[in-house]
């Protein structure tokens, strides 16, 4: 096992509001890390710092031995290796399903159009939507859109995937399909950082679970440690709340 | 912040220069021509006559002086205030606009020798009992902005406690009084006199005050040579009688001998140029009109002209409603049964006219060719009666101008027209020449009901003889027909009427309206083109992640959207030249104005449209590694543009409408055209209805077009 991501003393403030208060987090290659925590605790902000959708205020974020928190890195090149999946899918509404997946590889000259199309069809197959290549985004259900979004992120062949509550905007019956795709990815050894409230997924797939509250990591460990033997009082409260709803 | 503003101005200047260079091929070609500003309508000093040609005492004087002194003038009726400002900004070289010489104005202008004496007077509605300023207390008084008379009124305002309303031109202040909105108006004495003499329903109610002189002005310290030439020329035309002739032409010589003091009602045709037609004050002029008035003047009676239309006028005389008729009426045996005719005062006849460079000069040369006529005229009757014999084809037009144009463009080789009408048209600039002697000769006469009004008939004959003797008769004819040939004949049923129905007005002013519309459309298209470029650039500057560029964008939008279009237009047209010393043609100034103003709105909705795209779209694009520019082009803009399309269409329509505001800088677009037509015929309601309808039609067509485009882009 080798270190893929190493976050040290990461601080992020919005104006006077210190949202991340010194985060230290390491993600190993092929590891699946699930981040849990109450709303507003800074989970999304942490995730978005990892591909610099947010500019870190201080601290370092080393990915593959490069500190991306510094200003002199080519952030576009870094992002090519980090796929991201959003709560609200964010598929490009002006493009078809196929075009959504092909856009980045073609525009960034990774692939010719033809090859990108072949790859896009393959990716669609792996998420179970091979017949939707020409469909418009608007014609898809939420679950289908999220699976296309995953395929789109995979099209750049990233070695890290970030998921920010990928299922929380979905109708319950669609959640399973998306989680299944994510499980497959994990099995294939993808390095993944997943923010989710799906505790079942965390228990089954996560190598490690991280509990974030008020901009700090209060506890981390295996799913068993976190869910069966939580030590931190706030984590116990949090688990009580979500498991008893 | 200061830097941003500076930058904005820099941009503005650069843009203006680009436009200036683009849209200005050879506008400064004629070097020694002076640009002289004048008022839009200030009779008798300047006004557009029926052919949209500017005439008047000022115009005639400056033109005579120019001729005398060997320079050229380009007289621009931009309005009094615009002319004053344009001279100050260097857009124009001089101003002659019934401008009173005042000490304040002397600070800014150098004046030539005073050329006309004037004074400010108060006028009230005809029949009003107001005779002193005291009676104005608490009432409303109409003034024309920037005039000496307005200054005078303002100096009385406090003392007599009246309120003032100001208008941009004389017609409006008169109308405000005749409609009763205001109880009085102040204007220069000769102007009011002329207006009243020509049918304005006002009366002068005060002695001339603040007497002063009109002067020709240039910007202080500039154009010394022009002033010198003006003074020298003025001296010459005053010495050789031209000056008196000019003043006499517009104000009339008021010397009458045998005053009988009676008023006669005279019927005439509505429009039969050059015999009778309404000039811009809705006052009837023409050979018949000038003649009957000159005779009345000379014989000491008064006439009340009723433009009833030919047939109605004839019937009015028969029924005793009118005392006489003068309407280009041919003396025929049938008519002699009902009327007593004067001695013939004019001989008309049908002539053939050809293009100026044509070699045709005989009817026999028309074989196999095309000949143009106007429907219902004696020229058409004549042409049809001889077309078999000479073997030509006849093509018919509804409108004299089209008929003339058909000949001057060479589509037809000749046209047939009443001799005086043709002469008049040629004098007004129609590029044709008359090549045959008048045919179908018939004399015109003044008529009274048989056995009635014999005194009037005799006075007419006497007056006619006197006028012929004094040369006035000839000069009246020359005024309308040109000086060269004055002899002739014909008969026409004066039913060629200029009617004041909508269709009539459209027909008469078709040319002017069309060229106004063309100017409006051209302005719109050019402006929207540049405004789109400007707006898209500024809009995009507003969304790139750079504080400076966003600030610039916000500032530009704030500046140009915050400034009223009217102010912006005046600022660019008169302000920029003052700053840079570089003239801007009105059209370019108009385009620059619209570019900035409409561009700012476009920038705002381009910015808004882009910002309205879900930010998640940008985040998703960037998270894939796409650079900002690519993400913008491939993902954000295509979605933003879809949001913007309706705003673009809307803006196009707004731009078209906003061009009307540019009439303020004297652009002859549709609205300004309307103003000038109304200044002439006072058919405000009808002409504005026509103008409004034209705008609506164009906008409807545009809307259809854009809906179609929108439907296509939706796919
Ligand atoms: N762009 C921003 N500007 C200012 N404050 C922000 C911004 N983004 C997030 N915040 C604030 O940072 C805090 C953490 O937000 P974040 O979205 O990271 O929480 P979260 O743990 O993801 O919550 P949730 O479970 O509701 O998604 C919140 O108080 C939020 O208001
Ligand atoms: Mg979140």
């Amino acid at each position: 096992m080798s270190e893929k991501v190493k976050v040290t003393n990461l601080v992020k403030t919005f104006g006077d509001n210190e949202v991340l208060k010194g985060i230290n987090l390491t993600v190993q290659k092929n590891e699946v890390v699930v981040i849990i925590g109450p709303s507003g605790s800074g989970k999304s902000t942490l995730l978005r710092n990892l591909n610099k959708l947010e500019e870190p205020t201080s601290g370092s974020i080393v990915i593959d031995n490069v500190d991306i928190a510094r200003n002199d890195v080519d952030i576009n090149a870094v992002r090519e290796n980090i796929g991201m999946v959003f709560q609200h899918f964010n598929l490009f509404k002006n493009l078809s399903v196929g075009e959504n997946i092909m856009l980045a590889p073609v525009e960034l000259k990774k692939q010719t159009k033809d090859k990108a199309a072949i790859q896009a069809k393959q990716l669609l197959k792996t998420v179970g939507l091979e017949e939707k290549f020409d469909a418009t985004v608007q014609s898809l259900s939420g679950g289908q859109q999220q699976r296309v979004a995953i395929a789109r992120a995979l099209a750049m062949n990233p070695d890290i995937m970030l998921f920010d509550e990928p299922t929380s905007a979905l109708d319950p019956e669609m959640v399973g399909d998306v989680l299944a795709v994510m499980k497959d990815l994990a099995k294939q050894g993808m390095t993944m950082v997943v923010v989710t409230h799906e505790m079942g997924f965390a228990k089954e797939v996560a190598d490690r679970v991280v509990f974030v509250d008020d901009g700090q990591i209060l506890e981390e460990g295996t799913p068993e440690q976190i869910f069966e033997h939580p030590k931190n009082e706030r984590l116990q409260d949090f688990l009580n709340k979500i498991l008893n709803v | 912040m200061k830097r941003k503003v500076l930058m904005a101005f820099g941009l503005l200047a650069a843009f203006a220069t680009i436009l200036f260079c683009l849209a200005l091929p050879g506008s400064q070609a004629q070097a020694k021509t002076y640009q002289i500003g004048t008022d839009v309508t200030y009779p008798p000093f300047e006004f557009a006559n029926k052919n949209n040609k500017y005439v008047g005492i000022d115009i005639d004087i400056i033109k005579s002086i120019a001729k005398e002194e060997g320079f050229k003038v380009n007289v621009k009726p931009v309005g009094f205030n615009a002319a004053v400002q344009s001279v100050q900004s260097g857009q124009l070289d001089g101003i002659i606009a019934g401008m009173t010489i005042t000490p304040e104005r002397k600070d800014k202008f150098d004046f030539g020798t005073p050329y006309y004496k004037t004074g400010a007077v108060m006028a009230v509605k005809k029949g009003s009992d107001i005779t002193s300023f005291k009676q104005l207390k608490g009432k409303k008084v109409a003034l024309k902005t920037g005039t000496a008379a307005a200054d005078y009124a303002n100096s009385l305002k406090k003392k007599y406690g009246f309120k003032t309303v100001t208008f941009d031109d004389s017609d409006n202040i008169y109308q405000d009084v005749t409609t009763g909105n205001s109880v009085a108006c102040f204007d220069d004495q000769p102007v009011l006199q002329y207006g009243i003499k020509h049918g304005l329903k006002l009366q002068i109610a005060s002695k001339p005050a603040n007497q002063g002189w009109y002067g020709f002005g240039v910007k202080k310290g500039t154009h010394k040579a022009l002033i010198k030439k003006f003074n020298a020329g003025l001296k010459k035309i005053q010495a050789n009688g031209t000056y008196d002739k000019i003043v006499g032409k517009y104000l009339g010589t008021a010397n009458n001998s045998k005053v009988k003091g009676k008023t006669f009602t005279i019927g005439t045709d509505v429009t039969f140029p050059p015999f009778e037609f309404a000039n811009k004050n809705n006052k009837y002029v023409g050979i018949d009109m000038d003649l009957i008035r000159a005779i009345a003047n000379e014989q000491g009676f008064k006439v009340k002209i009723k433009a009833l239309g030919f047939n109605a006028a004839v019937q009015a005389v028969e029924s005793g409603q009118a005392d006489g008729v003068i309407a280009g009426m041919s003396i025929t045996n049938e008519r002699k049964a009902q009327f007593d005719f004067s001695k013939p005062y004019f001989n008309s006849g049908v002539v053939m006219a050809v293009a100026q460079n044509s070699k045709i000069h005989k009817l026999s040369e028309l074989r196999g060719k095309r000949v143009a006529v106007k429907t219902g005229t004696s020229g058409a009757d004549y042409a049809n009666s001889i077309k078999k014999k000479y073997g030509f084809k006849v093509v018919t037009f509804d409108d004299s101008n089209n008929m003339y144009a058909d000949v001057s463009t060479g589509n037809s080789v000749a046209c047939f027209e009443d001799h005086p009408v043709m002469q008049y048209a040629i004098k007004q600039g129609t590029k044709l020449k008359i090549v045959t002697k008048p045919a179908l000769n018939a004399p015109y006469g003044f008529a009274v009901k048989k056995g009635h009004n014999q005194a009037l008939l005799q006075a007419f004959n006497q007056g006619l003889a006197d006028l012929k003797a004094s040369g006035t008769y000839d000069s009246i004819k020359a005024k309308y027909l040109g000086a060269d040939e004055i002899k002739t004949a014909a008969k026409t049923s004066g039913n060629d009427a200029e009617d004041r129905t909508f269709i009539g007005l459209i027909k008469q002013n078709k040319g002017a309206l069309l060229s106004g519309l063309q100017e409006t459309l051209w302005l719109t298209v050019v402006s929207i083109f540049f405004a789109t470029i400007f707006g898209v650039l500024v809009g995009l500057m507003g969304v790139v992640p750079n504080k400076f560029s966003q600030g610039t964008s916000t500032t530009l939008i704030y500046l140009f959207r915050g400034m009223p279009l009217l102010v912006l237009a005046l600022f660019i047209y008169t302000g920029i030249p003052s700053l840079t010393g570089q003239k801007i043609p009105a059209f370019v100034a108009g385009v620059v104005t619209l570019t900035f103003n409409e561009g700012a709105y476009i920038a705002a909705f381009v910015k808004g449209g882009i910002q309205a795209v879900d930010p998640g779209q940008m985040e998703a694009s960037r998270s894939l590694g796409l650079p900002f520019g690519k993400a913008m082009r491939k993902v954000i803009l295509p979605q933003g543009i879809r949001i913007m399309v309706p705003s673009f269409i809307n803006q196009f329509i707004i731009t078209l409408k906003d061009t009307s505001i540019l009439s303020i800088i004297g652009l002859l677009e549709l609205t300004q055209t309307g103003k000038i037509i109304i200044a002439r015929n006072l058919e405000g309601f009808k002409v504005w209805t026509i103008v409004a309808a034209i705008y609506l039609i164009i906008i409807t067509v545009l809307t259809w077009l854009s809906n179609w485009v929108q439907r296509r882009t939706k796919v």
Side-chain angles (χ1 to χ4, degrees), chain A residues 1-5 26-33 64-65 186 189-192 205-208 222:
Chain A
M1 274 227 200
S2 64
E3 266 174 16
K4 191 78 186 161
V5 179
T26 308
V27 181
Q28 305 294 330
K29 194 165 188 294
N30 305 334
E31 191 181 19
V32 176
V33 173
D64 290 331
N65 300 320
M190 176 65 79
T191 309
M192 292 164 62
V205 182
D207 297 309
R208 195 148 45 93
T222 61

Side-chain angles (χ1 to χ4, degrees), chain B residues 148-185:
Chain B
D151 293 344
Y152 176 57
N154 281 321
S155 74
L156 302 173
K157 191 171 167 178
K158 266 242 174 81
K159 184 166 167 202
Y160 294 102
F162 54 83
K163 281 171 285 192
T164 57
V165 288
T166 54
F167 294 92
D168 258 356
D169 60 52
S170 300
D171 291 329
N172 289 340
I173 69 172
Y174 302 154
Q175 257 172 41
D176 211 49
V177 177
T178 51
T179 58
N181 284 338
S182 295
V183 297
C185 62

Side-chain angles (χ1 to χ4, degrees), chain B residues 8 103 221 315 321-322 346 393 396 426 491 513 542 614 651 686:
Chain B
Q315 282 158 28
Q321 295 274 54
F346 197 92
K393 277 172 289 180
T396 305
I426 289 172
K491 66 122 224 236
L513 288 171
D614 174 11
Q651 200 60 35
K686 284 180 185 163

Side-chain angles (χ1 to χ4, degrees), chain A residues 14 17 19 37-46 54 165 197:
Chain A
F14 291 108
N17 184 11
V19 175
S39 180
S41 56
K43 307 180 298 291
S44 295
T45 307
L46 171 57
E54 300 290 357
E165 303 194 32
H197 295 292

